[in-house]
Amino acid sequence: MSEQTPQSRGGEARAEKLTAEQKSEIARQGAKTRWEVDRTLPKATHAGKLVIGNSEIPCAVLPDGTRLLTQEGFLGALGRSTKPKGRSQQPSEDLPPFLATVSLSSLITDDIRAATVPIVFRTPTGGKALGYRAELLPKVCDLFLEARRLNLLTAQQQQIADKCEILVRALAQVGIVALVDEATGFQDERERDALHQLLSLYLSEEKLAWARRFPNEYYRQLYRLRGWSWPVGKAKTPLVGTLTNKIVYDRLPDGVLEELRKRNPTEPGTGRRKWKHHQFLSEDLGQPDLRDHLLQLVAIMRISKDWATFMVHFEDAFPKPGAQLSLLLEDAD
């Protein structure tokens, strides 16, 4: 039995003097404190399993966008025990055991030291977990490979270096952040955020006053290519709007036409839109982009003898991923 210190003997003496009610209250307060701390832990919005080489690493994304690899999965990928013991199960500013060795000390940077502090978080299902920032994995791999090159490793560390080499090769094509996003499904959220940022710049917060954006030459060429007679007066065939959506608005950045349809819906009963789509494009980005597109479009129209020829030139100039030329040519029939 280990020798007791004066502090430990004093603590035991104080505990013996406590009543059952006092002990119960202390335990209750301790549980309350732990619950309040746990309640403030960030809860992952996305989670999944990242497969790198022969390793399968649970990963997660926090609300602030931090990508994490669970401590257990991280250690397993390095060939270490996935059940850390002692203090490594708790958040600590000390280096983890696999880095806290004399042989590696000269290679430990402040950046790595800061990244090795595990983050306590809650999984989407409510469980409590420890994780390392995903960016730490390639850094640790680079460190071990550099240590191997310098002949600094012990026999046990050589095994970790071998694992790191496999991981580095697997990560060579795709970054760790992109892999985590794919594994957790967070790339969908990232794409939505990117689209939102684009639309906020491309579209106007308020509808702009009407101004002529489509030159008459555009409509004249459209009628010529379709073999239609030029209309008397202002009325144009309703098909003009459908074709304009296809060859103009649908070739603006992805998501723009869909958002325009939301902001400028068709009127019940008439099926017509109250405003022109271009009135919702921003003056800084949307309107100039529309103008440039129309200038190129009219030039292609002029060199085309008919609609079918135009669509071939159009697809060459403005290719859209996944579009099939045969579908676009249907309007020429």
Side-chain angles (χ1 to χ4, degrees):
M1 184 174 179
S2 61
E3 184 179 350
Q4 288 186 316
T5 64
Q7 290 83 359
S8 64
R9 287 195 295 269
E12 290 179 359
R14 287 191 296 273
E16 290 176 356
K17 294 180 181 180
L18 294 175
T19 65
E21 290 78 9
Q22 289 174 322
K23 292 179 180 179
S24 177
E25 177 62 18
I26 291 174
R28 189 182 69 81
Q29 289 296 331
K32 180 181 178 182
T33 299
R34 288 192 298 274
W35 180 83
E36 289 177 346
V37 171
D38 288 351
R39 189 176 60 172
T40 64
L41 295 178
K43 185 175 182 180
T45 57
H46 300 73
K49 289 188 177 181
L50 175 62
V51 178
I52 307 178
N54 296 325
S55 301
E56 189 175 86
I57 311 174
C59 52
V61 180
L62 299 184
D64 64 358
T66 300
R67 280 78 164 176
L68 297 177
L69 305 179
T70 66
Q71 184 185 67
E72 182 177 323
F74 192 101
L75 295 176
L78 297 179
R80 303 282 294 184
S81 171
T82 59
K83 299 295 182 183
K85 299 179 181 180
R87 289 187 303 166
S88 59
Q89 291 180 307
Q90 302 296 328
S92 171
E93 294 185 1
D94 297 332
L95 286 171
F98 62 88
L99 290 179
T101 61
V102 175
S103 60
L104 298 175
S105 60
S106 62
L107 300 177
I108 302 295
T109 64
D110 291 340
D111 188 31
I112 290 179
R113 188 178 296 276
T116 56
V117 178
I119 296 173
V120 189
F121 69 101
R122 290 230 172 255
T123 65
T125 57
K128 190 175 177 181
L130 287 177
Y132 293 119
R133 293 179 183 274
E135 296 86 349
L136 177 63
L137 182 60
K139 291 178 181 178
V140 168
C141 289
D142 287 342
L143 183 148
F144 271 93
L145 294 179
E146 177 64 11
R148 184 175 68 178
R149 186 184 70 82
L150 297 174
N151 296 318
L152 299 177
L153 300 180
T154 64
Q156 184 180 20
Q157 290 172 332
Q158 287 284 358
Q159 297 175 13
I160 297 179
D162 292 341
K163 287 280 189 179
C164 287
E165 184 174 6
I166 295 173
L167 292 172
V168 166
R169 288 179 177 177
L171 290 170
Q173 300 300 321
V174 184
I176 183 66
V177 170
L179 287 174
V180 171
D181 288 356
E182 180 180 357
T184 61
F186 187 67
Q187 81 274 12
D188 296 333
E189 195 74 26
R190 186 182 62 198
E191 290 169 1
R192 282 194 292 270
D193 288 344
L195 175 60
H196 177 74
Q197 293 176 20
L198 170 65
L199 294 180
S200 67
L201 295 174
Y202 207 91
L203 302 178
S204 175
E205 289 293 329
E206 298 180 357
K207 176 181 64 65
L208 303 178
W210 182 89
R212 182 176 295 281
R213 303 295 178 185
F214 284 71
N216 277 332
E217 180 70 3
Y218 165 78
Y219 294 110
R220 289 188 178 279
Q221 291 295 336
L222 185 62
Y223 271 72
R224 178 183 68 82
L225 294 171
R226 297 293 299 185
W228 297 335
S229 299
W230 185 250
V232 177
K234 295 183 178 180
K236 295 183 177 67
T237 171
L239 190 54
V240 168
T242 300
L243 295 178
T244 297
N245 279 337
K246 179 176 292 187
I247 65 176
V248 178
Y249 291 110
D250 196 35
R251 296 308 165 105
L252 298 182
D254 286 343
V256 169
L257 178 56
E258 181 181 355
E259 183 64 22
L260 287 173
R261 284 170 170 160
K262 292 179 182 177
R263 298 190 184 193
N264 187 30
T266 55
E267 294 283 301
T270 66
R272 294 180 177 274
R273 302 182 192 277
K274 187 175 182 180
W275 316 104
K276 299 296 184 182
H277 277 341
H278 61 72
Q279 291 179 259
F280 295 86
L281 298 178
S282 66
E283 293 182 292
D284 294 335
L285 182 61
Q287 298 284 358
D289 201 23
L290 173 65
R291 182 183 63 249
D292 292 345
H293 181 83
L294 287 172
L295 288 174
Q296 297 175 67
L297 198 60
V298 170
I300 294 173
M301 287 174 156
R302 286 171 177 166
I303 65 171
S304 302
K305 64 178 182 179
D306 53 33
W307 185 255
T309 305
F310 164 72
M311 290 308 300
V312 172
H313 294 324
F314 174 77
E315 276 301 307
D316 287 341
F318 306 104
K320 184 177 182 181
Q324 296 182 12
L325 183 60
S326 60
L327 294 179
L328 295 173
L329 289 174
E330 287 178 357
D331 287 325
D333 296 337

